[in-house]
Amino acid sequence: MNTKIKKISATIALIWILATSTNVYADVQIGTGSVTGSGGLSTPIMWDEAFPWEATATIDGIIVTAQVLPILNMVISSDSIALGTLNNTTYTTGSIDLEVGTNASNGVAITASSKNGGLTSATNGSTINNLSADGIAESYVFNSALNAASDSTVAGYTQTANLNTEVNNTTSHTIYSTNKPEESNGTNDVRFSVASRISTQTPAGNDYKDTIVFSITWNF
């Protein structure tokens, strides 16, 4: 009798050892990972019924948003260009400097236009430019050139300023253009110049004047 009891006890013990050593457990949902107002991002949190245990849920899709406001500054070094006394043998030139700062991703373009189409005199009605409608061909020129230093650290940045054209109408001429953002740090980007040469027949006058309009367009 004792022998049979021992055999049965041993068999039960063996079955218990085998059952516990296999660690076969079923996954059970013990909670939910969710995002308020976004049911599509919900995910179940599962447990394999084992101790010690660790449960992990992954929610993929939390969006971070932000805004960067556009910045554009242009500083012109002076409100006037004084050419002084013009002569018929060489050009007389005057210039101003322009500094631009912007975070426009595709850069900027600056244009200049003449309101009078040349230097005009209210007193004698004469206009100094290369047209000969009045029988006198002179010269009135817009020029632009880059400053020696660049104030942009953006990869792929380029800048252009190489205008050299006779001006005899109100057409806008591009004096400076870029393709990337640049700093506004006091380093002038472009020098804009006006040059004129007269004829020996240009009517005398001390009130020859033109007004230049600068426009800047930024490309965000």
Side-chain angles (χ1 to χ4, degrees):
M1 183 69 176
N2 290 337
T3 302
K4 290 182 178 180
I5 293 173
K6 289 179 180 179
K7 287 182 178 180
I8 293 172
S9 298
T11 300
I12 293 172
L14 178 60
I15 293 172
W16 182 85
I17 292 170
L18 290 172
T20 55
S21 64
T22 57
N23 292 324
V24 176
Y25 301 106
D27 286 340
V28 176
Q29 182 173 346
I30 59 172
T32 302
S34 62
V35 179
T36 302
S38 298
L41 295 179
S42 296
T43 184
I45 299 177
M46 307 302 292
W47 174 45
D48 62 3
E49 297 188 89
F51 288 97
W53 66 284
E54 181 178 286
T56 301
T58 299
I59 295 177
D60 181 356
I62 303 301
I63 306 300
V64 179
T65 64
Q67 180 182 21
V68 177
L69 296 177
I71 298 171
L72 179 65
N73 296 298
M74 179 172 68
V75 178
I76 301 176
S77 62
S78 178
D79 63 357
S80 63
I81 300 174
L83 295 181
T85 302
L86 304 179
N87 67 79
N88 67 307
T89 56
T90 59
Y91 279 92
T92 302
T93 302
S95 62
I96 55 176
D97 296 312
L98 293 84
E99 156 72 336
V100 177
T102 185
N103 62 354
S105 58
N106 296 309
V108 299
I110 301 176
T111 62
S113 62
S114 165
K115 274 194 170 182
N116 300 332
L119 291 167
T120 60
S121 170
T123 301
N124 59 45
S126 180
T127 298
I128 300 173
N129 58 31
N130 66 334
L131 299 182
S132 57
D134 56 0
I136 308 171
E138 300 113 338
S139 182
Y140 183 59
V141 179
F142 283 1
N143 291 281
S144 68
L146 289 175
N147 184 42
S150 167
D151 54 10
S152 176
T153 60
V154 180
Y157 173 81
T158 60
Q159 53 182 176
T160 303
N162 53 12
L163 179 68
N164 182 8
T165 187
E166 287 281 350
V167 176
N168 52 40
N169 53 41
T170 60
T171 298
S172 294
H173 303 276
T174 301
I175 67 170
Y176 178 72
S177 62
T178 67
N179 68 334
K180 300 287 184 179
E182 60 185 296
E183 289 190 85
S184 180
N185 58 5
T187 300
N188 293 319
D189 296 302
V190 56
R191 172 158 291 187
F192 173 77
S193 302
V194 175
S196 183
R197 186 182 63 196
I198 60 171
S199 163
T200 54
Q201 300 180 93
T202 300
N206 62 0
D207 64 343
Y208 282 93
K209 183 185 295 185
D210 186 24
T211 299
I212 298 173
V213 180
F214 290 98
S215 297
I216 184 168
T217 301
W218 60 104
N219 301 302
F220 290 98

